[in-house]
Amino acid sequence: MAGVLIIGAGHGGVQLAASLRDAGFDGAVSLLSEDPDFPYHKPPLSKSFMAAHDTALQPLRAEVFFEQNRIDLKLGTVVEQIDRSAKVVVCSDGRKIAYDKLVIATGTRARRLSIPGADLPEVFYLRTAQDARAMRAALPSMRRVAVIGGGFIGLEAAAMLSGRGVKVDVIEVAPRLLGRATSDAIAQQVANHLQSIDVTLHLCQTVDAITQKDGNVCGIDLGGNVLAADHVLIGVGALPVDMLARDASLRTENGILVDEFLRTEDADIFAIGDCVAFPQVHLGLRTRLESVQNATDQARALALTLTGSPAPYTALPWFWSDIGKLKVQIAGLSDEADEQIETRDAEGNLKSVYHLKNGHLVTCETLNSGGEHMLSRKMIAEGFTPTREQLASGDVKTLKQSYMAARNR
Amino acid sequence: MTKLVFIEPSGMRREIEVTSGQSVMQAATTAGVAGIDAECGGSCMCATCHCLVVEAPVSLPKMETDEADTLEFTAEEMHDNSRLTCQLAVTEDLGGTVFKVIGR
């Protein structure tokens, strides 16, 4: 019995192995991980992992969990090829591993910048534990860091560095932070917060080169204007790791194409997490999402499908990012929304933004307002929209009363 | 070392010896306590570390707003003795506390 073979031991792959056992799957479960580290939580890498030089990685599950659940975890194993006709994967050491069902959960890799100086020793990316360790080792010698890219990873790291007393410049090519991941209003409040903790923002700026002196980073060149820097962090997005699927003649298009059951066009090959382009039920179109929630909820749905209770993936997306003292939380996807309602806290700071489409609540973005976020997840998933006045109040008790009243009706 | 007790969703009772300086969630997941997914890694976001405190030799530190709000609006019903264990730090005072794991 060859069982289920999972390529990738990130949040999705590990959750799938766990959920298969939860669902009573009794066959073999193998997890192949290119990453040599024991499977770990990724979000802390840019924050708490940097807090002390010896902070340990936070394991996704304990070692004893893998033993007790008979999950065969093979670390540092690189899969080079999927042989669909023989139903085996071929590893870089020549080993062949058979499967009944194969799941690709290979995630993303950091998009690289190919500007001059990008290969200097003081230039970092932040994706894996190895990346984070390299950056952490350099922290004591950082005085002035240029962060290229105003996305979540870059901004989380910028806040962390600033908190350590490092002078930080963030360079973003767009006129605002966080791309299309948040509304303008949230991006502006994040910008205000970063400026309040002494991070300098450079918007509408392109980095032509990372400049060097004697082989070490000394600055970044913004179209002739050179900004001093002793280290550089590049956070300019991630690309799906979908080569294995492509090489096996499975269709890819910004990710591995799967149906609502997370199945590729090969009935025995599935894919989950950051590396898949799937039909997103709330948007009504195909998309790719990079988040812990997406990976773990897809794993849970797939475990049901693989154990004989086919479950389409329909979970409501949610997301969070801790940028300094600001917790950004997003419930739902706002791409198609046509109306926004903003709420503010007692001090007048932006607290939440509700997004409606055709009068229906589709998204809620919050800043340090966990109750609103959690309640919104329920309201959106269940298709409940409070009145505009109730939303505009931003008062969790009011919203909850309205939600409970509707639910009990 | 502090002794914590967990009753797993299956009913199995697990006693673990843990050190201070980490959250109860971290201590439990490191020991492989079943039913604590801790999906968000301790960011007070997912409530998959929800436990009921069924025995506490001394009263536990009060909840912060974040923890209370997250618990109130999560999928599994909140009880008077509910806690998100990612928001609860291990201290010697916690010795002998018994947690019932909610699971999902």
Side-chain angles (χ1 to χ4, degrees):
Chain A
M1 172 80 185
V4 177
L5 179 61
I6 306 164
I7 309 176
H11 290 262
V14 170
Q15 183 64 50
L16 176 61
S19 293
L20 281 170
R21 291 299 184 225
D22 284 345
F25 181 74
D26 200 36
V29 175
S30 300
L31 259 175
L32 307 182
S33 177
E34 194 168 319
D35 199 318
D37 281 298
F38 196 78
Y40 53 90
H41 282 274
K42 288 212 174 70
L45 293 180
S46 55
K47 301 173 288 273
S48 56
F49 183 69
M50 299 285 177
H53 71 96
D54 58 352
T55 303
L57 291 169
Q58 194 178 332
L60 284 169
R61 293 288 193 290
E63 285 193 44
V64 58
F65 174 87
F66 291 88
E67 291 157 22
Q68 282 171 351
N69 287 283
R70 294 173 293 117
I71 297 162
D72 183 15
L73 175 65
K74 294 186 175 76
L75 299 177
T77 302
V78 180
V79 175
E80 288 203 326
Q81 192 203 336
I82 299 168
D83 183 340
R84 288 167 56 189
S85 54
K87 292 183 74 171
V88 297
V89 301
V90 184
C91 301
S92 58
D93 57 6
R95 204 165 19 147
K96 290 183 177 177
I97 304 172
Y99 64 83
D100 291 320
K101 303 288 179 194
L102 178 68
V103 182
I104 306 173
T106 40
T108 54
R109 60 192 164 83
R111 193 162 80 80
R112 302 266 153 179
L113 270 191
S114 54
I115 53 173
D119 52 357
L120 290 167
E122 298 88 6
V123 178
F124 300 99
Y125 291 86
L126 202 39
R127 183 79 214 152
T128 64
Q130 260 165 314
D131 295 338
R133 260 188 228 108
M135 181 171 157
R136 187 168 74 175
L139 283 176
S141 57
M142 290 184 183
R143 299 290 175 270
R144 184 162 182 179
V145 175
V147 175
I148 303 177
F152 285 114
I153 295 269
L155 300 185
E156 288 179 3
M160 178 276 296
L161 289 167
S162 191
R164 297 176 61 98
V166 177
K167 170 99 183 69
V168 185
D169 293 280
V170 174
I171 297 91
E172 167 58 45
V173 65
R176 50 157 281 192
L177 300 176
L178 295 171
R180 294 182 306 138
T182 71
S183 60
D184 287 347
I186 295 286
Q188 185 57 53
Q189 191 66 28
V190 169
N192 294 349
H193 174 65
L194 287 167
Q195 284 166 333
S196 78
I197 56 171
D198 296 326
V199 172
T200 308
L201 305 177
H202 306 260
L203 303 177
C204 301
Q205 298 282 334
T206 309
V207 182
D208 290 341
I210 297 167
T211 57
Q212 58 173 303
K213 192 180 174 210
D214 306 327
N216 300 111
V217 167
C218 67
I220 54 166
D221 185 349
L222 304 173
N225 173 26
V226 175
L227 209 61
D230 48 55
H231 293 78
V232 174
L233 172 65
I234 300 178
V236 292
L239 300 170
V241 179
D242 55 9
M243 275 100 67
L244 280 174
R246 209 161 48 230
D247 290 349
S249 301
L250 296 169
R251 283 175 63 207
T252 62
E253 198 180 297
N254 181 32
I256 303 164
L257 295 193
V258 293
D259 66 12
E260 69 268 39
F261 294 98
L262 307 163
R263 188 168 38 198
T264 67
E265 58 210 293
D266 183 322
D268 293 321
I269 304 182
F270 300 77
I272 56 171
D274 288 13
C275 66
V276 309
F278 67 101
Q280 212 291 328
V281 65
H282 302 92
L283 292 177
L285 48 83
R286 186 175 288 282
T287 192
R288 188 173 72 77
L289 294 176
E290 295 168 7
S291 77
V292 170
Q293 173 278 326
N294 189 62
T296 52
D297 280 343
Q298 287 190 343
R300 291 187 181 100
L302 181 55
L304 294 176
T305 298
L306 291 177
T307 50
S309 317
Y313 176 65
T314 58
L316 182 78
W318 53 266
F319 182 84
W320 86 96
S321 171
D322 291 298
I323 301 173
K325 289 201 166 76
L326 208 55
K327 184 185 283 295
V328 183
Q329 297 172 297
I330 307 172
L333 297 169
S334 63
D335 299 37
E336 306 285 308
D338 51 33
E339 185 182 348
Q340 290 189 10
I341 297 173
E342 297 181 7
T343 80
R344 292 180 182 274
D345 65 17
E347 283 85 48
N349 295 313
L350 184 70
K351 182 166 75 80
S352 54
V353 182
Y354 290 95
H355 298 255
L356 287 77
K357 178 190 178 185
N358 300 328
H360 295 286
L361 182 64
V362 291
T363 310
C364 172
E365 301 171 293
T366 51
L367 300 171
N368 293 343
S369 188
E372 265 181 288
H373 170 78
M374 295 301 285
L375 179 58
S376 294
R377 265 158 61 178
K378 286 187 153 190
M379 296 195 297
I380 298 167
E382 292 169 27
F384 173 70
T385 304
T387 65
R388 286 174 175 75
E389 290 71 29
Q390 288 164 343
L391 289 173
S393 77
D395 179 53
V396 184
K397 285 202 175 64
T398 305
L399 291 167
K400 189 189 175 193
Q401 275 170 7
S402 142
Y403 164 72
M404 293 305 287
R407 211 168 68 155
N408 296 333
R409 204 171 289 149
Chain B
M1 297 293 268
T2 305
K3 188 185 84 175
L4 300 179
V5 183
F6 292 87
I7 300 166
E8 298 180 340
S10 66
M12 172 112 86
R13 190 182 164 93
R14 289 276 310 273
E15 289 190 14
I16 60 174
E17 294 276 341
V18 301
T19 52
S20 299
Q22 58 181 334
S23 70
V24 171
M25 175 279 284
Q26 284 172 319
T29 50
T30 305
V33 172
I36 298 185
D37 280 2
E39 185 171 333
C40 77
S43 281
C44 202
M45 275 296 298
C46 67
T48 58
C49 66
H50 184 181
C51 288
L52 303 180
V53 179
V54 292
E55 265 179 65
V58 296
S59 60
L60 302 183
K62 279 210 161 43
M63 278 192 245
E64 300 283 340
T65 320
D66 250 14
E67 183 185 347
D69 282 350
T70 302
L71 266 171
E72 182 172 5
F73 300 111
T74 189
E76 288 79 19
E77 203 184 336
M78 180 184 182
H79 298 271
D80 290 342
N81 56 345
S82 285
R83 291 306 293 249
L84 291 181
T85 51
C86 73
Q87 301 300 305
L88 193 58
V90 174
T91 58
E92 285 179 12
D93 286 352
L94 256 58
T97 304
V98 182
F99 297 91
K100 186 174 191 308
V101 182
I102 295 278
R104 56 190 275 169

